Amino acid sequence: MTSVNVRILLLFLVGSLFSAASLRANEPAPISAAIDKALPLLARAAAGSAAERTCFTCHSQALPVFALAAAREHGFTIDEKVFQAQVEHTLTFVKGSRQRYLDGRGTGGKVDLAGYALWTLDDGKHPRDENTDAVIEYLLAYRADSPSWPSTSNRPPSQGSHFTTTYLALRGLGSYAAAEHRAGAEKRQAAAEEWLLATPAKTTEDHVFRLRSLHYLGVDTAEVISAADALLALQRTDGGWSQTADMESDAYATGTALVALAECDRLEPVSAAYQRGIDFLLKTQLPDGSWRVTTRSKPIQKYFETGFPHEKDQFISTTATAWAVQALLKTTPLADAAP
C-alpha cells in the first residue's frame, strides 16, 4: 500500500469516527431522554398556572398542550388528566368570554390570545360550537379595514409580531370557520396573502410566522421556498437561531425555526441543518429537563409561581421548552409508524 493510500485510509477512518460520534449524539435514545425529562415540567407548568389563575395563558396552557399533544402522537406517555384539564380550562375561559367576543371587545391579548385559544382547543380535538363561533366572528370583525391582524401587544418574542398575530388568526379561521363565515374568511385570507407577500420579515419571529402563514394559505411554492430559505439563512454557527441579530442563540428561536421549517416541508429532520439545530438543543437543555430563556418583556401581571423552574423567566422558558420538545419530536417516528 502506498503512502498516499495510507493517508487516504486514515482520513476515511477519522471521518468515519466523527460521523459515528455525530450520529450517536442524535440517536433516538438521547433525544427520547431529553423529551421525557421535559414533558413532566410542561405538565406541571400548565397545572400550576391553572391552579393560580382562572384565565387562559398562551405560555402555560397553549404551548404545553401543543407539546403534549405532539408527544402523544409520537408514542410518548403524557399526563392525560393534566392535558384534558388544560383543554377544559381553555374552553371555560372562552365560554366566559363569549359575550365579549360577540360584542367585538375580545379579552386581554386580543387576537393573539384568541388565536392561541382556538389552536389549543383544536389540538385538544374540541369540536366547533357556539363558543368557537363567537371567537371566529371576533377575528373576522377585528380591524376589518386592515390587510393583516396587527398585534396590540409588545411582549417579545412571542407577542408583538404582526406576522405571529396574523398566523394565529388565519389558523383559527382555518380550524373553526363555519359555512356562514366562509365568504368573510376568504376575503380576509386574500388580503392577508397580499400583505404577507409584500411585507418583509425582520426578526426571527417574523420569519417563522411569515413562513407558516404563507404555507398555511397554500401560496406559490416559490414564495414559500424563498421565505424558508430566508429563515434557514439565520441559523448560527452553533446550530441555533437567535431572536434578533444582536442576541445569542436560544431554545425559543431555535425551536420555533426548526418546527416551522419541518412543518412547511422545507427541512427534513434528517438533514444536516436540522441535526445541527437538534445538537444545539441537546447541548443547551439543563439537567432538570428545561431550557432557560431570559425574559425581555415587561411584566403585565403580578408574579406567581407555576412550578416551572427559572422564577421570573419561567413563562418564556416554558414556551421555549415546549417549542424545543416539538422540534425534537420531529426526529422521532409517529406512534403508528413505530417499529
Side-chain angles (χ1 to χ4, degrees):
M1 183 178 292
T2 67
S3 60
V4 173
N5 288 335
V6 169
R7 285 198 297 271
I8 292 173
L9 177 60
L10 287 173
L11 287 172
F12 172 78
L13 291 173
V14 170
S16 298
L17 288 173
F18 278 110
S19 297
S22 176
L23 288 172
R24 283 198 300 273
N26 290 336
E27 66 186 2
I31 290 176
S32 296
I35 294 168
D36 280 329
K37 287 174 70 175
L39 291 176
L41 290 178
L42 293 173
R44 187 192 308 168
S49 178
E52 291 288 337
R53 297 289 189 273
T54 57
C55 63
F56 161 85
T57 65
C58 307
H59 48 74
S60 292
Q61 268 76 55
L63 268 300
V65 163
F66 302 165
L68 293 170
R72 183 171 57 189
E73 290 177 352
H74 286 259
F76 287 80
T77 300
I78 68 169
D79 190 324
E80 292 288 348
K81 288 184 178 180
V82 169
F83 179 86
Q84 294 300 331
Q86 303 321 302
V87 177
E88 288 300 318
H89 183 88
T90 305
L91 181 58
T92 298
F93 176 80
V94 172
K95 281 181 178 179
S97 306
R98 180 170 175 268
Q99 194 57 51
R100 293 181 63 89
Y101 284 122
L102 290 173
D103 293 344
R105 291 176 293 157
T107 64
K110 300 295 182 179
V111 172
D112 289 303
L113 187 141
Y116 271 119
L118 289 183
W119 192 348
T120 304
L121 293 176
D122 188 35
D123 266 19
K125 309 300 183 186
H126 178 73
R128 172 188 160 247
D129 61 17
E130 62 180 6
N131 302 297
T132 61
D133 282 352
V135 182
I136 291 299
E137 289 172 22
Y138 169 76
L139 293 178
L140 290 174
Y142 186 85
R143 294 291 300 271
D145 58 336
S146 173
S148 66
W149 283 266
S151 175
T152 58
S153 300
N154 185 25
R155 303 184 69 205
S158 57
Q159 288 183 290
S161 169
H162 299 331
F163 292 98
T164 304
T165 307
T166 296
Y167 174 76
L168 293 169
L170 289 171
R171 194 189 188 289
L173 293 177
S175 298
Y176 283 107
E180 58 265 31
H181 302 133
R182 187 170 299 137
E186 289 176 352
K187 180 179 179 181
R188 295 222 60 172
Q189 288 164 347
E193 181 176 330
E194 288 187 17
W195 176 81
L196 288 162
L197 291 172
T199 310
K202 296 179 180 179
T203 66
T204 300
E205 180 83 357
D206 287 350
H207 280 282
V208 165
F209 284 95
R210 181 175 184 269
L211 170 60
R212 293 190 76 127
S213 297
L214 290 170
H215 181 262
Y216 194 80
L217 289 173
V219 302
D220 183 72
T221 302
E223 294 290 349
V224 175
I225 291 174
S226 176
D229 287 348
L231 174 58
L232 184 56
L234 297 178
Q235 188 174 27
R236 299 288 189 83
T237 56
D238 61 8
W241 277 258
S242 62
Q243 296 175 32
T244 64
D246 58 349
M247 296 178 70
E248 295 182 354
S249 302
D250 65 44
Y252 177 86
T254 302
T256 56
L258 289 174
V259 173
L261 288 165
E263 292 188 353
C264 295
D265 303 320
R266 190 53 183 154
L267 198 61
E268 291 290 332
V270 295
S271 67
Y274 200 97
Q275 288 297 309
R276 287 174 55 224
I278 293 299
D279 280 341
F280 173 82
L281 292 176
L282 292 176
K283 290 174 183 175
T284 54
Q285 186 181 28
L286 297 175
D288 62 13
S290 70
W291 281 266
R292 183 170 193 166
V293 175
T294 302
T295 185
R296 59 188 177 101
S297 297
K298 293 181 179 179
I300 61 172
Q301 58 182 311
K302 186 178 179 180
Y303 172 76
F304 68 96
E305 277 289 340
T306 65
F308 196 88
H310 312 312
E311 299 179 333
K312 293 186 178 181
D313 292 331
Q314 66 184 278
F315 294 161
I316 184 59
S317 296
T318 300
T319 304
T321 298
W323 280 117
V325 165
Q326 291 175 81
L328 293 174
L329 284 165
K330 296 294 182 186
T331 69
T332 69
L334 291 168
D336 290 342

